[in-house]
Amino acid sequence: MTDQVTLYAFNCGWFQCNPGYFVEGDEGPSMRSPVPSYLITHPKGRALFDTGMGVRFRREMDNKLVEGELGLEWFEGMDIATRLKAIDVDPASIDWIVNSHLHIDHCGGNAHLPNATVIIQALEIEAARTSEQRYLYTPEDYDTGQPVKAIAGEHDLFGDGTVRIVPTYGHSPGHQSMIVKLAGGEVLLAGDCCYTERNLDVMVLPKATTDMELGMETYRRLDALRKSGTRILFGHDGKQWKQVTEGVPFVL
Ligand SMILES: [Zn+2]
């Protein structure tokens, strides 16, 4: 079955911050990091893990973020619908949206996928609805009318163990990641449970973590998975992203 599962990576926006945002104390020039979205195709359906940023973050090339500024930017053509069409996948053919969590840069493309069911941890739905941080949890992004399947804990998406949703709490109350079994091995799509490879190397959580204890427990699990051979694709890792080729089947 694993040889019939395919993973594609796309960048649907840019996130810019100083190195200290990821690992406190780190210094250096601003880092430009991807806002990834992943397509997983399986004989039983098509799923997206995260959908990137919404078009309302549009900027023109002459209005780019300047060095040192913290923020999000999105340029024409970076939406997930355009990315999918570029590889001949109709956005209306997507069956499942799995959002790692409901922050603006992870569900901004949900609106482009009219026929999908959104799978999210019940804890995260609750967090989004009750949050006072409207700039982080914006209904315009996460509440786009598709059916929602609320889950609690692990979920085997196609029932054969090839695409598993696993809870990775800490960054947000109901954060989840995805483990995809490809012919060459397992890949964990981290989302924001771990921003960069360096975070895991030094086992330091960023300040922007809702629950430090749960976040560290998640890091320990990721570290164990990494040691056992699972390849981790981190949430906003510009350095790692340089090795990722967008829009082609991901090969381990
Ligand atoms: Zn987040």
Side-chain angles (χ1 to χ4, degrees), residues 101 103 105-106 171 192 195:
H101 62 308
H103 286 165
D105 53 331
H106 294 262
H171 171 74
D192 279 358
Y195 283 145

Side-chain angles (χ1 to χ4, degrees), residues 88-106:
D88 287 324
V89 172
D90 182 356
S93 74
I94 301 299
D95 304 293
W96 306 102
I97 298 169
V98 179
N99 293 121
S100 60
H101 62 308
L102 296 177
H103 286 165
I104 47 170
D105 53 331
H106 294 262

Side-chain angles (χ1 to χ4, degrees), residues 53-166:
M53 251 187 250
V55 297
R56 64 196 168 85
F57 292 98
R58 180 196 307 268
R59 278 173 174 259
E60 305 301 330
M61 290 310 271
D62 59 2
N63 180 27
K64 286 164 84 160
L65 287 171
V66 298
E67 165 67 31
E69 227 177 331
L70 173 77
L72 301 170
E73 56 184 2
W74 181 96
F75 300 106
E76 194 59 47
M78 290 190 94
D79 57 285
I80 188 59
T82 302
R83 297 296 204 209
L84 291 173
K85 284 179 203 156
I87 59 161
D88 287 324
V89 172
D90 182 356
S93 74
I94 301 299
D95 304 293
W96 306 102
I97 298 169
V98 179
N99 293 121
S100 60
H101 62 308
L102 296 177
H103 286 165
I104 47 170
D105 53 331
H106 294 262
C107 58
N110 284 19
H112 295 297
L113 310 153
N115 300 319
T117 294
V118 182
I119 304 183
I120 193 89
Q121 296 288 324
L123 281 172
E124 186 66 15
I125 298 171
E126 178 67 15
R129 286 192 184 140
T130 56
S131 174
E132 279 162 18
Q133 296 172 299
R134 277 285 165 258
Y135 57 93
L136 263 185
Y137 286 113
T138 306
E140 183 184 340
D141 290 322
Y142 71 76
D143 198 2
T144 47
Q146 297 96 328
V148 174
K149 183 181 166 78
I151 59 171
E154 279 207 35
H155 180 70
D156 183 348
L157 187 56
F158 298 110
D160 60 2
T162 57
V163 181
R164 285 158 52 223
I165 298 164
V166 293

Side-chain angles (χ1 to χ4, degrees), residues 15-20 22 29-33 67 196 236 238-239:
F15 171 61
Q16 181 169 289
C17 65
N18 292 324
F22 293 140
S30 292
M31 296 162 85
R32 206 159 179 248
S33 311
E67 165 67 31
T196 69
H236 295 295
K239 195 173 158 200

Side-chain angles (χ1 to χ4, degrees), residues 191-213:
D192 279 358
C193 79
C194 192
Y195 283 145
T196 69
E197 189 164 31
R198 172 156 167 77
N199 283 96
L200 199 58
D201 287 345
V202 296
M203 293 298 265
V204 172
L205 288 157
K207 253 191 182 171
T209 299
T210 304
D211 187 317
M212 289 289 179
E213 214 166 296

